[in-house]
């Protein structure tokens, strides 16, 4: 078999293997179809350039009348034409696809990349992507290594559009930059937020009126309706609480940062303990352990609301006679506020979903204890705004621990601040 023959067949075969490998690997790692298609297409683009380079001299060589040579030429042209089709398919993908070499220089990109990322052909081939996307969030993300997908950032080529970007390793130290236009999702999300905020706001006034009139009614005037009146009051209070929680969530969702105030932990923890005792009405043993003098930097109102939600849950989901321990302690690299209870506990399958709105392990238990199903959602949003996280450990029948974990950048040495202000001897 001649060298030419081997070269001619090795490349198309490699293309086919590459396409199958991309699809196989993609499916194994659970990648979405467009990602698999983009990787396959990128591999094809690389192979096509290699294929052209290798076969051009052969196609240009003077023709011979040998029938095997003629057959070979026909097949080679057919494969070249299929690869060109694939390349032009890649060019029309709606997602931006940019092929980068190991130094993050642009090797190839499609039409969507011109539109969404503002790249220009042929000017930008070979140039550094960091330079081309200069001053954009995408450039910062690439400089950080782009390990996690970047959601909802302004498209460098279109200030009114949003993209979600992914950086995939590919071939030998090459990278594939994918950017998908998610403007419609951002718009839908905004419509959803506005709708929830508007509905909650509109419900607030009529509910206040109903609640006010119910308070005015005296059950002694109509003793036979006393239980009905009690139920109406309880339900209108619950509706009022749901509306307030929805408004809190809407506010937290639209914020991208919090007040950077000095939050004194000592009085905050003391008031949380009092709240727990008032809610428990002597049914539980409640303890407070303050193991660190650190205070927090953040929003006093929002942090109080988050911690108070955890304390109230511990009381509501712990049967009479149980224990509740509130703790504030430091660890290397931060501090954690935790509430441990000896209550019902939560089966493992539910834990990942607890911070979703209205997600409840048991709806009846939540309603009976006056829950809105929004408490942990509020906790999650408050913690996100403080770059903190919620850690949940639980065992059914034994109890749960909900902990708010803060990084050291959020800690203030409270004792020192007070000393400096002359509040301590
Ligand atoms: P709810 O108002 O229903 O309590 P949350 O968002 O605060 O809403 O909590 C969501 C669900 O998580 C609750 O309905 C409950 O099933 C579960 N949960 C929360 N805290 C605890 C806890 N300390 N012990 C057991 N289950 C809990």
């Amino acid at each position: 078999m001649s060298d030419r023959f081997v070269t001619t067949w090795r490349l198309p075969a490699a293309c086919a293997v590459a396409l199958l490998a991309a699809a196989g690997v993609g499916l194994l790692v659970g990648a979405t179809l467009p990602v698999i298609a983009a990787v396959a297409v990128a591999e094809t683009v690389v192979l096509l350039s290699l294929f052209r380079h290798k076969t051009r001299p052969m196609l240009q060589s003077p023709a011979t009348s040998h029938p095997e040579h003629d057959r070979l030429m026909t097949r080679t042209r057919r494969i070249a034409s299929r690869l060109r089709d694939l390349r032009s398919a890649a060019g029309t993908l709606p997602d931006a696809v940019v092929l980068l070499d190991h130094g993050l220089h642009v090797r190839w990109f499609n039409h969507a990349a011109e539109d969404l990322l503002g790249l220009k052909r042929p000017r930008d081939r070979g140039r550094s992507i960091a330079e081309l996307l200069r001053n954009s969030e995408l450039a910062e993300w690439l400089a950080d290594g782009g390990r996690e997908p970047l959601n909802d950032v302004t498209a460098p080529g279109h200030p009114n559009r949003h993209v979600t970007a992914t950086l995939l390793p590919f071939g030998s130290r090459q990278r594939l930059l994918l950017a998908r236009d998610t403007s419609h999702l951002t718009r839908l999300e905004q419509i959803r937020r506005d709708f929830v905020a508007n509905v909650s706001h509109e419900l607030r006034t009529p509910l206040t009126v109903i609640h006010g009139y119910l308070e005015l009614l005296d059950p002694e005037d109509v003793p036979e309706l006393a239980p009905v009146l009690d139920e109406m009051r309880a339900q209108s209070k619950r509706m009022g609480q749901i509306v307030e929680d929805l408004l809190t969530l809407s506010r937290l969702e639209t914020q991208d940062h919090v007040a950077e105030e000095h939050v004194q932990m000592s009085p905050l923890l003391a008031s949380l303990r009092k709240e727990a005792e008032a809610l428990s009405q002597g049914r539980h043993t409640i303890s407070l352990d303050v193991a660190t003098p650190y205070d927090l930097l953040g929003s006093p109102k929002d942090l109080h609301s988050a911690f108070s939600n955890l304390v109230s849950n511990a009381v509501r989901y712990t049967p009479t006679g149980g224990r509740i321990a509130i703790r504030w302690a430091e660890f290397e690299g931060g501090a954690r506020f935790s509430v441990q209870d000896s209550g019902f506990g939560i089966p493992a399958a539910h834990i990942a979903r607890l911070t979703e709105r209205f997600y409840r392990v048991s709806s009846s238990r939540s309603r009976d204890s006056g829950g809105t199903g929004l408490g942990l959602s509020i906790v999650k949003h408050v913690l996100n705004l403080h770059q903190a996280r919620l850690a949940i450990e639980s065992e059914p029948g034994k109890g749960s621990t909900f902990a708010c974990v803060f990084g050291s950048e959020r800690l203030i040495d409270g004792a020192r601040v007070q000393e400096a202000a002359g509040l301590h001897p």
Side-chain angles (χ1 to χ4, degrees), residues 8 11 50-60 76:
T8 315
L11 280 159
L50 203 61
F51 181 68
R52 269 201 190 144
H53 174 75
K54 295 264 189 190
T55 55
R56 188 169 288 142
M58 209 172 83
L59 291 170
Q60 284 166 353
T76 306

Side-chain angles (χ1 to χ4, degrees), residues 113-166:
E114 295 184 70
D115 188 30
L116 286 175
L117 306 181
L119 303 187
K120 291 266 174 305
R121 206 186 308 254
R123 183 197 72 184
D124 294 339
R125 281 220 186 100
R127 290 180 64 187
S128 147
I129 189 78
E131 255 177 52
L132 294 170
L133 303 177
R134 205 174 22 225
N135 295 332
S136 69
E137 288 165 274
L138 265 176
E140 274 175 37
W141 168 76
L142 280 169
D144 279 350
R147 273 172 287 277
E148 295 291 322
L150 180 70
N151 291 322
D152 256 357
V153 289
T154 307
H158 256 289
N160 299 329
R161 293 216 209 149
H162 285 88
V163 290
T164 290
T166 315

Side-chain angles (χ1 to χ4, degrees), residues 32 58 84 117 196 216 220 311 358 408:
T32 57
M58 209 172 83
R84 266 196 305 277
L117 306 181
V196 173
L216 283 179
E220 285 182 6
V311 168
F358 297 113
S408 55

Side-chain angles (χ1 to χ4, degrees), residues 313-314 316-317 341 345-346 354 359-362 366 371-377 400 402:
N313 280 356
R316 292 189 296 114
Y317 298 111
D341 65 56
I346 305 156
L354 290 184
Y359 190 86
R360 291 150 165 144
V361 178
S362 152
S366 161
T372 61
L374 296 167
L376 291 181
S377 234
S400 319
F402 285 76

